[in-house]
Amino acid sequence: MEMEKGLFGNTIKVLLAIIILRCFYLQVLRGNHYYQLSIRNCIRIVETGTPRGVIYDRNKRPLAKDTPSLQLVFIPYDLDSPEAEAELLSKLISIDKTSLLKKLTSKYSNPFDRIVLKKKLTTAEVSLIEENASKLGGIFIQEGLLREYPLGQATAHILGYVGEISEKQLQLLSFKNAGLKSGAVIGQDGIEKMYDQYIRGISGGVEVEVDARGYHGKTLGKKQSIPGNNLILTIDQTIQEIVDVELGGRQGSVVAMDPRNGQILALVSKPAFDAENLKEYFTKKGHPFLNRAIKGQYSPGSVFKIITAFSALESGNIAEYDRVECRGSIEVGNRVFKCWNLDGHGWLDINRALPFSCNVFFGTIGMRAGVSKMIEFAKMFELGKATGIDLPEEKSGFVPDKSMVDALNLSIGQGPLLVTPLQLVSLISTVANGGNIWKPYIVKEITDSNDNVIKEFAPIIKKTVFISSDSMEIVKRGLKNVMVFGTGGRYKLENIEIAGKTGTVQRAQSELGLGTHGFFACYAPADNPRIAMVVFLDRASGPEATVVASRILKKVFAQGEEIDDENENSDVSEEETETVEEVENVEIF
């Protein structure tokens, strides 16, 4: 009996000791942690979104801005029954139950952060959710901000898009230091991404009481949002819209630049995407998220003949009036090298060879100059090198080693040589201005919410290419004649003189059935260039690209004042420095 009493007493002592130790752990060792949880569970800061700055074109017309919207959000910690709530919500807002449940049950770094379920609710959806609020613990409606892009897909590849920060991005030091949390919206591509730190504002919020089930009660206070800074771009909305219309549904890209300072006037790549409704574009064909202007890498075709001409003239391997006979082809060893004109151009010098884009002439002078010299000049003009434009993930292209290519192929821009359309704009712009390679750029000014300028981006000359005035004049005259009697002669304008070069790129047509690529690199007016441009078309020819370019320039110069006004406001100091015909049966050159 005494033994049983002793055993019972010891058991009681052990249980009391366990209870005391547990209380010590909960109240002393973990007391502060649970105290913070209790505070956060009854008083919440409900964030109302991070207001981003407005993105304007060069004439202060908005290209991206925030607009208020009613959003459906939830706080993971407060959810009553995710499965039941996903079931109900799927009927109220017409979203698949599986995707809703996946979002509601995902692991979040902070279960008290608000997560957006739907960015824009209709009036009918708001009514339905409010009627069923008692069954949706932890899910509620609040005012938020929605990013709008007035020009839609026309500016998609310049502006990019915004989206919620990912768990991987949250681990980046720059975002950690900025205090970003789950649910924060950041720039994910384009200018929105490149300048995110400048245009991202500071979120405001409402301090509310919350009961044990997560329902909001009394509002205790408010914290005002601070909007981000604004961006003034070099883009001209009028030119951008003209380019978008004229490129139409073609797959390709157009880049227009001011050859006097490197400012990008327009940049369009197609297919594009709707930045306000991204989801449906993730599975679309044609790679709508590929910015072909800066990431597409292609052989330049006959546009490269500009480089071949400079390398042969400057090295003294040809003079202006040296002539070559084109009979439609030449034999080199056991190889027959064909001209696009199989009937032959006859005897011609560079003054006629450049406008007619004669393959035999350029193959001949390319062999005289040699592969090394052409590669040297290609690199001198910075082909195969990223331009440094302020857009993310620009590609560099590729200039091959001399062991990888022969003179004939390289002389007409074929073989392993790869360039981006932006690099070709830089090339033709450098010819237009007589030798300055400008760093292309899109953002020229950052202002605060009161329009005070806090940062300006001045034009930068990367380098000056020293070409003799004689060689430069010969090439410029040849480019003008392309549109007078050469390969672009059918597409000249009556009132605006254009200088340019066509290019049709062979892509294993016979072997793989691939179509050609079409290029047209140009500037205008020819004697006083104010715009340089490259039109690139997938599965097309040089003449087809020329037609698009002519139509764009015709409309742009009909706007006249747009470019003239900018010239008056140019940041560059002295020291720093018709009829368009349709194409039905095109010839390849």
Side-chain angles (χ1 to χ4, degrees), residues 91-93 123-133 136 141:
K91 296 172 183 173
L92 301 180
I93 59 176
T123 304
E125 288 172 335
V126 170
S127 297
L128 287 171
I129 291 166
E130 287 179 340
E131 287 171 9
N132 291 275
L136 297 170
I141 296 170

Side-chain angles (χ1 to χ4, degrees), residues 136-170:
L136 297 170
I139 300 174
F140 52 95
I141 296 170
Q142 70 169 53
E143 290 184 0
L145 297 169
L146 197 63
R147 198 65 165 163
E148 281 192 348
Y149 301 89
L151 297 193
Q153 296 188 33
T155 53
H157 286 289
I158 296 174
L159 303 177
Y161 56 90
V162 297
E164 287 186 21
I165 193 168
S166 68
E167 289 299 306
K168 186 177 179 181
Q169 289 170 324
L170 272 174

Side-chain angles (χ1 to χ4, degrees), residues 305 350-357 362 474-475 478-479 482 501:
K305 289 170 181 170
I350 194 167
N351 292 311
R352 293 182 63 79
L354 193 54
F356 285 128
S357 196
F362 281 94
I474 290 169
V475 170
L479 297 178
V482 166
K501 184 70 194 80

Side-chain angles (χ1 to χ4, degrees), residues 17 249 318 419 471 485 500 559:
I318 64 163
V419 299
S471 297
F485 59 79
Q559 304 289 328

Side-chain angles (χ1 to χ4, degrees), residues 275-516:
E276 297 176 29
N277 184 24
L278 292 173
K279 193 174 179 181
E280 65 180 89
Y281 292 88
F282 290 128
T283 54
K284 276 201 170 184
K285 293 182 179 178
H287 306 289
F289 291 97
L290 172 64
N291 185 343
R292 288 171 166 77
I294 66 167
K295 299 179 188 175
Q297 301 174 97
Y298 315 96
S299 296
S302 293
V303 178
F304 189 79
K305 289 170 181 170
I306 295 171
I307 297 293
T308 306
F310 280 135
S311 59
L313 287 166
E314 288 292 281
S315 63
N317 283 285
I318 64 163
E320 181 177 359
Y321 297 106
D322 287 351
R323 297 198 303 166
V324 172
E325 185 181 18
C326 171
R327 298 179 177 178
S329 66
I330 53 173
E331 289 186 21
V332 180
N334 59 358
R335 176 183 176 187
V336 177
F337 180 75
K338 296 180 180 178
C339 185
W340 64 268
N341 180 1
L342 295 178
D343 293 331
H345 290 100
W347 286 96
L348 70 178
D349 58 27
I350 194 167
N351 292 311
R352 293 182 63 79
L354 193 54
F356 285 128
S357 196
C358 175
N359 285 353
V360 169
F361 180 90
F362 281 94
T364 302
I365 68 169
M367 287 190 293
R368 290 182 191 172
V371 170
S372 297
K373 187 58 69 177
M374 287 187 283
I375 289 174
E376 176 189 331
F377 273 73
K379 290 182 177 178
M380 185 190 299
F381 279 88
E382 302 211 329
L383 298 183
K385 182 179 179 182
T387 66
I389 191 173
D390 47 346
L391 284 175
E393 300 173 19
E394 179 192 9
K395 298 297 183 185
S396 61
F398 179 68
V399 173
D401 183 83
K402 64 180 182 180
S403 64
M404 301 170 66
V405 65
D406 65 71
L408 284 174
N409 272 346
L410 186 59
S411 68
I412 60 171
Q414 296 284 167
L417 175 69
L418 295 174
V419 299
T420 64
L422 182 61
Q423 286 173 15
L424 289 188
V425 173
S426 177
L427 167 62
I428 200 70
S429 176
T430 302
V431 175
N433 67 40
N436 290 328
I437 298 181
W438 293 97
K439 180 180 179 181
Y441 67 108
I442 293 178
V443 173
K444 66 174 184 174
E445 208 169 270
I446 301 176
T447 63
D448 64 18
S449 56
N450 295 316
D451 280 342
N452 298 310
V453 177
I454 60 174
K455 192 175 179 65
E456 289 182 274
F457 298 89
I460 297 174
I461 291 180
K462 296 168 69 177
K463 67 190 286 190
T464 298
V465 176
F466 292 102
I467 300 289
S468 69
S469 57
D470 287 346
S471 297
M472 188 63 80
E473 184 56 33
I474 290 169
V475 170
K476 282 187 171 185
R477 189 164 58 244
L479 297 178
K480 282 170 65 175
N481 285 332
V482 166
M483 300 299 289
V484 176
F485 59 79
T487 53
R490 294 171 59 194
Y491 322 116
K492 64 184 177 184
L493 300 178
E494 291 181 353
N495 301 319
I496 303 296
E497 192 172 24
I498 302 171
K501 184 70 194 80
T502 52
T504 300
V505 184
Q506 306 289 339
R507 293 192 307 151
Q509 267 181 293
S510 56
E511 296 87 347
L512 301 177
L514 299 176
T516 57

Side-chain angles (χ1 to χ4, degrees), residues 55-69:
I55 302 178
Y56 296 100
D57 87 330
R58 68 200 293 115
N59 295 310
K60 207 72 187 292
R61 292 171 288 195
L63 301 175
K65 60 182 180 179
D66 284 349
T67 57
S69 68

Side-chain angles (χ1 to χ4, degrees), residues 536-555:
F536 162 72
L537 297 180
D538 193 7
R539 297 178 186 277
S541 65
E544 288 174 279
T546 310
V547 171
V548 174
S550 291
R551 287 175 174 161
I552 291 170
L553 292 174
K554 182 179 181 182
K555 287 187 177 180

